[in-house]
Amino acid sequence: MKLTIFRRLIGGHILILLLALSGSVFAIFILGRFETITRSIRETDDRVLEYEKKLSDTLLSQIQYERKYLIGRDEVLYSRFLLFNNDFKQYLEEAAQVATAPRMAELLDVVRQSHRRYLDLFSDEVEKARAGTGYDAAAYKEKKDHATEAALRALRELRTVAEQTVNKKIRTLGEIGASARQITLAVTLLAVLSGIAIALWTTRSITRPVGVLKTKTAEIAQGHLGTEIDLASPPEIAELAAAFNSMSRQLKDIDKMKSDFFFALSHELRTPLTSIKEGTQLLLDGAGGPISDNRRKILRILSEESERLIRLVNSILDLSKMEAGMMTYRFEEASLGALIEKATTEILPLVESKRVSLALELSPELRRVKIDQERILQVLRNLLGNAINFTPEGGSIKVCARPLNGKVEVAVQDTGPGIAPEHLERIFEKYHQVATGNRFPKGTGLGLAIARHIVTAHGGSLWAESQPGSGSKFIFVLPA
């Protein structure tokens, strides 16, 4: 089942949103780990370091007052010793609550036991000193120093462990940051590439069939009705393509009916028209006896109009054959320059009667080309006839022929009123004629359409270049 345009767009947006959401979830997870580790450093390791300093300072203060008391026996000093002792115990209990790591707990236990031995030794020494009992002060001092040194050594190791823990956690943060950066870059790149791929796929699946429809519509507008569309596309565009194909077939059938009608009608008209023309000419030649001048004038008008109708019928027949692909061509090598000279010679009477100048510019490098001479002559006659028709009295016509990039280019240029840009392509459509200035078309509107068919059948192309008020230039190119 093919996805509709709506489902494709919604699915693409949802997928992009999920990719973006996954990146956000990962970022939240990483930030959570950062917060956990930093809180651990702040609430555990930093506080352990703080308590270590307090315990060390307090213990050193106790030692200081203990020694002063033993020297001076001042009870105030003993009271200060007891105050620091209370502070030491309080700090020790608080540190034990914070330092939950096994090694830290072991070290704090060593500090507690060493401090207790120190207090026991000091208390025993104080009792003996107050009682006046003799004792070995040096031995007590050595034992107390040993106990306090053990406590201070345990506190220093506690600081080292705490600092190592902090450093380890900082390295972990760095590793997490580096890993997060790489993963974030990868997720971002994946999201961007996926977004681009989804956008291209969705856009392409829509724009490609629309582009094909646009191209085929332009072809139909130019008269090419034989092609149909077969697209792998969303259902909406597939239905549009099916409707387009139906329309194309109907237009093709209608065009064929029209061509068949014109072909049959032209064929049926040509025979009686030829008979009328020949009969009129016999009357003008006196076959029916003498005729008056008025009747001769009427017969001449009949003869001219019969000739014009025969030309129209022939043009319709030719165009019908060309559109049906039934026109036959006899290709043979010939001199294009000689054909141009023949066509210009034929129209010299018209050129002189209209007082228009005619110039030829034939390149001496023109080579013989493979063409149907009669059909190319038909093209030249048509272009020259149009040039004479639209060139005002006193104007000029120039015919040029030259080799160009392995081909042959022929141009017929006039000094007529010119053609508006919007009509430059439409004038090659059958029955399309353009009024320029005060001049109205006199022909059938088939000449340029026939000329383009002939040039295209030769593998060439025919087009017009013009600006209103600057004359017109009709150019056709043939393979050399």
Side-chain angles (χ1 to χ4, degrees), residues 388-421:
I388 294 172
N389 185 33
F390 288 99
T391 301
E393 187 174 327
S396 63
I397 299 171
K398 183 167 67 173
V399 182
C400 304
R402 58 169 181 161
L404 178 68
N405 299 327
K407 298 181 179 181
V408 178
E409 180 188 84
V410 179
V412 178
Q413 188 170 3
D414 62 52
T415 56
I419 305 169

Side-chain angles (χ1 to χ4, degrees), residues 45-165:
D45 304 310
D46 285 350
R47 292 185 65 188
V48 167
L49 291 172
E50 180 183 348
Y51 282 122
E52 182 275 333
K53 187 176 186 310
K54 288 180 178 180
L55 288 169
S56 298
D57 292 344
T58 304
L59 181 57
L60 291 173
S61 297
Q62 280 186 277
I63 295 170
Q64 181 181 7
Y65 281 105
E66 170 254 320
R67 290 178 179 177
K68 288 181 180 181
Y69 171 75
L70 291 175
I71 294 173
R73 306 293 174 88
D74 187 348
E75 293 299 325
V76 174
L77 296 175
Y78 185 75
S79 298
R80 294 299 302 267
F81 173 85
L82 294 177
L83 288 175
F84 279 109
N85 183 54
N86 293 332
D87 290 342
F88 187 88
K89 290 181 178 179
Q90 181 181 349
Y91 294 151
L92 190 60
E93 292 301 322
E94 291 176 358
Q97 294 176 4
V98 173
T100 56
R103 181 56 183 164
M104 290 183 178
E106 291 176 3
L107 292 171
L108 287 175
D109 190 54
V110 171
V111 171
R112 184 180 294 105
Q113 293 176 8
S114 299
H115 185 258
R116 185 177 296 114
R117 286 198 303 272
Y118 167 71
L119 288 178
D120 291 341
L121 289 168
F122 178 62
S123 298
D124 187 44
E125 189 177 8
V126 168
E127 289 179 2
K128 289 181 179 181
R130 286 176 179 176
T133 305
Y135 66 95
D136 189 354
Y140 271 96
K141 182 177 182 305
E142 183 179 354
K143 292 178 180 179
K144 287 187 295 182
D145 288 346
H146 180 74
T148 55
E149 180 60 30
L152 290 172
R153 187 166 55 250
L155 288 172
R156 286 194 297 271
E157 188 175 351
L158 178 65
R159 168 172 285 275
T160 302
V161 171
E163 289 176 346
Q164 289 175 349
T165 303

Side-chain angles (χ1 to χ4, degrees), residues 117 179 210 246 272 291 295 311 322 362 381 393 415 480:
R117 286 198 303 272
S179 176
V210 171
S246 176
I291 53 175
R295 289 180 179 178
R311 288 198 301 271
M322 291 174 184
L362 304 180
R381 286 169 180 160
E393 187 174 327
T415 56

Side-chain angles (χ1 to χ4, degrees), residues 117-383:
R117 286 198 303 272
Y118 167 71
L119 288 178
D120 291 341
L121 289 168
F122 178 62
S123 298
D124 187 44
E125 189 177 8
V126 168
E127 289 179 2
K128 289 181 179 181
R130 286 176 179 176
T133 305
Y135 66 95
D136 189 354
Y140 271 96
K141 182 177 182 305
E142 183 179 354
K143 292 178 180 179
K144 287 187 295 182
D145 288 346
H146 180 74
T148 55
E149 180 60 30
L152 290 172
R153 187 166 55 250
L155 288 172
R156 286 194 297 271
E157 188 175 351
L158 178 65
R159 168 172 285 275
T160 302
V161 171
E163 289 176 346
Q164 289 175 349
T165 303
V166 170
N167 291 334
K168 183 178 179 181
K169 290 180 178 178
I170 290 174
R171 285 196 301 271
T172 302
L173 286 175
E175 292 171 358
I176 292 173
S179 176
R181 183 166 55 253
Q182 294 176 356
I183 295 175
T184 301
L185 287 174
V187 171
T188 302
L189 182 62
L190 177 62
V192 171
L193 293 177
S194 299
I196 293 174
I198 292 169
L200 287 175
W201 174 74
T202 305
T203 305
R204 183 66 174 167
S205 67
I206 298 172
T207 58
R208 181 180 172 277
V210 171
V212 173
L213 281 170
K214 178 183 175 183
T215 302
K216 296 301 181 182
T217 303
E219 291 179 1
I220 286 181
Q222 295 173 1
H224 305 292
L225 308 176
T227 57
E228 292 190 2
I229 301 174
D230 183 16
L231 293 173
S233 59
E236 298 93 332
I237 299 181
E239 292 176 4
L240 181 61
F244 181 92
N245 290 336
S246 176
M247 178 194 70
S248 178
R249 287 191 294 270
Q250 292 179 24
L251 287 174
K252 185 179 178 182
D253 292 341
I254 292 172
D255 189 70
K256 185 177 183 301
M257 290 172 59
K258 180 188 67 177
S259 298
D260 292 344
F261 171 76
F262 280 125
F263 182 83
L265 182 62
S266 301
H267 188 270
E268 294 299 324
L269 283 174
R270 185 161 55 178
T271 301
L273 283 173
T274 302
S275 299
I276 292 171
K277 181 178 178 298
E278 292 299 327
T280 304
Q281 189 61 44
L282 288 173
L283 291 174
L284 285 171
D285 292 339
I291 53 175
S292 64
D293 291 339
N294 287 336
R295 289 180 179 178
R296 184 177 296 277
K297 184 177 180 180
I298 293 172
L299 287 173
R300 283 192 183 128
I301 293 173
L302 287 173
S303 179
E304 291 173 0
E305 292 302 312
S306 297
E307 181 64 32
R308 188 176 71 83
L309 284 173
I310 289 172
R311 288 198 301 271
L312 174 59
V313 168
N314 287 334
S315 295
I316 293 174
L317 282 173
D318 286 344
L319 186 59
S320 298
K321 288 180 181 179
M322 291 174 184
E323 289 181 338
M326 299 171 61
M327 178 64 71
T328 57
Y329 294 90
R330 296 177 60 188
F331 292 99
E332 56 187 0
E333 284 194 358
S335 171
L336 191 58
L339 284 181
I340 294 173
E341 290 176 350
K342 180 179 179 180
T344 53
T345 301
E346 290 176 355
I347 64 165
L348 281 178
L350 287 175
V351 170
E352 292 173 357
S353 65
K354 201 168 183 180
R355 298 185 182 129
V356 174
S357 64
L358 176 63
L360 290 180
E361 289 185 7
L362 304 180
S363 172
E365 299 177 358
L366 279 178
R367 294 181 294 175
R368 294 173 67 84
V369 291
K370 198 168 185 179
I371 55 175
D372 184 320
Q373 296 185 62
E374 190 59 35
R375 294 303 173 188
I376 295 299
L377 192 60
Q378 187 178 356
V379 173
L380 291 168
R381 286 169 180 160
N382 181 277
L383 298 181

